Amino acid sequence: MEVTIKLNGKTVSDDVSADMLLIDFVRAHGCLSVKRGCETSACGLCTVLLDGEPVLSCSTLVARADGHSVHTLEGLQDEASEFVGFIADQGAEQCGFCNPGFVMNTIALLRENPDPTDEEILSYLSGNLCRCSGYVGQLRGIRNFLTSRNVEGGSRE
């Protein structure tokens, strides 16, 4: 079957099998930040944004994305660069394997809620598996980013 997807802003058409997963499609088109982890939709490593919403590409058929927009970390570098340093400063990316999934979900969170509480941050990131840091560093990094942004842009209160 033929699918056409806007992948990171570029239209990509390809002939795919009906059972092809979105993870295989994006990786075949050079988006290697999307990783295989558990292959059971439990770790968040394969998170992409489908029409702006985070989805697990290991459990999404590529046919579902036909005619839609898909973004991976490769297409969101400018947006990600705003806060990834804050996460790294907290030692939250010790091995780095889970980082793309966390970054994709943080982008989705901040688009939906630009000033989340700690509970909202943890809830949004709860679908990501990190074996090294236990989420505290990611939370501190995101909180430090939000504090820095509020100081630079003035308080939102």
Side-chain angles (χ1 to χ4, degrees):
M1 73 184 287
E2 183 79 17
V3 295
T4 300
I5 296 172
K6 193 167 201 170
L7 181 59
N8 294 324
K10 296 179 183 176
T11 302
V12 177
S13 294
D14 206 346
D15 187 33
V16 300
S17 64
D19 63 348
M20 183 180 209
L21 295 172
L22 186 54
I23 188 172
D24 297 319
F25 182 87
V26 297
R27 288 185 62 82
H29 291 279
C31 300
L32 302 180
S33 69
V34 183
K35 299 177 184 171
R36 272 200 159 72
C38 64
E39 295 193 63
T40 61
S41 303
C43 72
L45 294 176
C46 66
T47 301
V48 300
L49 301 184
L50 177 62
D51 292 337
E53 297 294 322
V55 298
L56 299 171
S57 63
C58 76
S59 60
T60 303
L61 292 173
V62 72
R64 179 174 171 224
D66 186 27
H68 295 274
S69 175
V70 174
H71 279 91
T72 68
L73 189 54
E74 285 83 359
L76 299 171
Q77 289 295 307
D78 290 340
E79 197 168 349
S81 69
E82 294 178 8
F83 64 86
V84 293
F86 287 89
I87 293 173
D89 287 346
Q90 296 300 316
E93 57 175 358
Q94 291 176 23
C95 78
F97 195 68
C98 66
N99 205 41
F102 272 111
V103 171
M104 294 301 292
N105 278 299
T106 301
I107 287 171
L109 166 66
L110 296 178
R111 285 179 176 181
E112 181 180 313
N113 182 356
D115 198 16
T117 65
D118 288 357
E119 292 77 24
E120 290 168 326
I121 294 169
L122 289 172
S123 175
Y124 222 90
L125 300 181
S126 66
N128 291 297
L129 177 64
C130 176
R131 294 185 174 125
C132 299
S133 68
Y135 311 100
V136 175
Q138 286 90 348
L139 173 62
R140 276 194 319 259
I142 293 167
R143 178 57 48 217
N144 289 347
F145 165 70
L146 293 171
T147 299
S148 170
R149 186 174 67 181
N150 288 342
V151 168
E152 290 173 9
S155 178
R156 296 173 186 234
E157 299 174 337

